[in-house]
């Protein structure tokens, strides 16, 4: 079979060029043409669908109370006088706190000497814990509820407590628990009345205790609890007043 002149000329020309060029420009007419490779997407072309973002965390309700009262002024002077006769320091003794807007406490004590009838000793203590709302930790009220439950359990677990009794304390804050018990200390029986209460995002704990020396009787549990109720109502009212 004879090839045409143009075709023969082309074959001779390709024989004279380097091998690398033969592969590109001098392929035989009989060889199939290479198919075009698929092109990559243009830089400005459609992009893949964006990954779905996580839904935003639900916001927490702001805490109701932003401040705490001065713990040593939270119980009125009249209440202190009634509960702690012959009080040593009427202004109270404040506890240490690194943040008085989050926690605070104050205490009063006194010994009333009744001569041959003996002496009566009383101690009153009030403490506050305030919880802010936090996106990570939760709402202030819920955090206070958790602390309230834990505090009640802590008081009920007082080491050495005897004759322990608990009851609700209606009319005190949003919720409150009254706990009474006795402790033997320095050869005497000390009686305790404790109320743990929650007012919104604040937990209030009031402890009132006493004993009798030199023949005087220890105070009755009911008497102590009446005084505790009076003091805790003062303290909760002080929280409300501090946030007006």
């Amino acid at each position: 079979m004879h090839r045409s002149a143009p075709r023969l000329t082309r074959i001779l020309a390709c024989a004279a060029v380097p091998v690398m060029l033969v592969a590109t420009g001098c392929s035989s007419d009989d060889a199939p043409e290479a198919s075009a490779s698929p092109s990559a997407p243009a830089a400005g072309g459609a992009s893949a669908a964006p990954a779905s973002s996580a839904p935003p965390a639900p916001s927490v309700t702001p805490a109701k109370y932003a401040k705490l009262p001065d713990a040593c002024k939270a119980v009125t002077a009249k209440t202190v006088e009634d509960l702690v006769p012959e009080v040593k320091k009427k202004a109270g003794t404040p506890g240490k706190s690194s943040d008085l807007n989050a926690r605070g406490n104050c205490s009063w004590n006194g010994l009333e000497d009744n001569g041959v009838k003996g002496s009566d000793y009383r101690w009153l203590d009030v403490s506050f814990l305030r919880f802010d709302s936090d996106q990570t930790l939760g709402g202030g009220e819920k955090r206070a509820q958790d602390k309230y439950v834990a505090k009640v359990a802590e008081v009920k677990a007082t080491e050495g407590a005897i004759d322990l009794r608990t009851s609700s304390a209606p009319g005190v804050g949003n919720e409150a628990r009254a706990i009474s018990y006795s402790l033997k200390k320095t050869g005497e029986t000390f009686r305790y009345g404790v109320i743990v209460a929650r007012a919104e995002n604040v937990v209030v704990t009031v402890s009132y205790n006493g004993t009798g020396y030199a023949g005087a009787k220890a105070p009755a549990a009911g008497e102590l609890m009446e005084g505790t109720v009076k003091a805790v109502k003062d303290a909760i009212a002080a929280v409300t007043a501090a946030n007006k």
Side-chain angles (χ1 to χ4, degrees), residues 7-173:
R7 184 178 179 88
L8 180 59
T9 303
R10 183 180 174 192
I11 291 173
L12 293 174
C14 286
V17 298
V19 176
M20 292 295 293
L21 294 180
V22 172
T24 58
C26 300
S27 60
S28 169
D29 287 345
D30 295 334
E33 293 185 5
S35 59
S37 60
S39 58
S47 60
S52 58
S53 59
S59 60
V60 295
T61 303
K64 181 173 182 178
Y65 295 131
K67 300 177 182 178
L68 285 179
D70 181 334
C72 287
K73 295 179 181 178
V75 179
T76 66
K78 179 65 167 61
T79 297
V80 172
E81 182 180 350
D82 290 345
L83 302 186
V84 189
E86 301 298 326
V87 61
K88 290 182 179 179
K89 189 176 179 182
K90 292 183 179 180
T93 302
K96 293 181 180 180
S97 174
S98 59
D99 185 356
L100 291 173
N101 215 28
R103 63 187 61 83
N105 73 284
C106 191
S107 62
W108 299 260
N109 68 88
L111 180 68
E112 183 179 36
D113 188 350
N114 296 310
V116 295
K117 294 182 179 180
S119 301
D120 291 319
Y121 174 79
R122 298 290 185 273
W123 174 287
L124 175 66
D125 183 276
V126 59
S127 69
F128 297 94
L129 286 172
R130 188 185 67 83
F131 297 87
D132 277 322
S133 291
D134 184 276
Q135 191 67 39
T136 303
L137 301 176
E141 183 174 350
K142 178 60 169 62
R143 295 177 66 199
Q145 285 176 329
D146 293 343
K147 184 61 180 181
Y148 164 79
V149 172
K151 189 65 179 178
V152 169
E154 178 186 324
V155 176
K156 290 171 67 176
T158 298
E159 185 176 357
I162 55 177
D163 301 326
L164 189 145
R165 299 179 181 181
T166 67
S167 64
S168 60
V172 179

Side-chain angles (χ1 to χ4, degrees), residues 182-234:
S182 298
L183 277 178
K184 283 283 188 179
K185 296 192 299 183
T186 63
E188 305 293 341
T189 298
F190 283 72
R191 295 235 168 87
Y192 285 74
V194 181
I195 291 181
V196 182
R198 180 183 66 82
E200 304 296 345
N201 58 307
V202 175
V203 176
V204 182
T205 304
V206 170
S207 178
Y208 180 41
N209 69 81
T211 192
Y213 290 109
K217 294 182 179 181
E223 174 191 344
L224 277 174
M225 191 54 72
E226 286 179 6
T228 309
V229 170
K230 189 174 183 178
V232 77
K233 285 186 175 181
D234 279 0

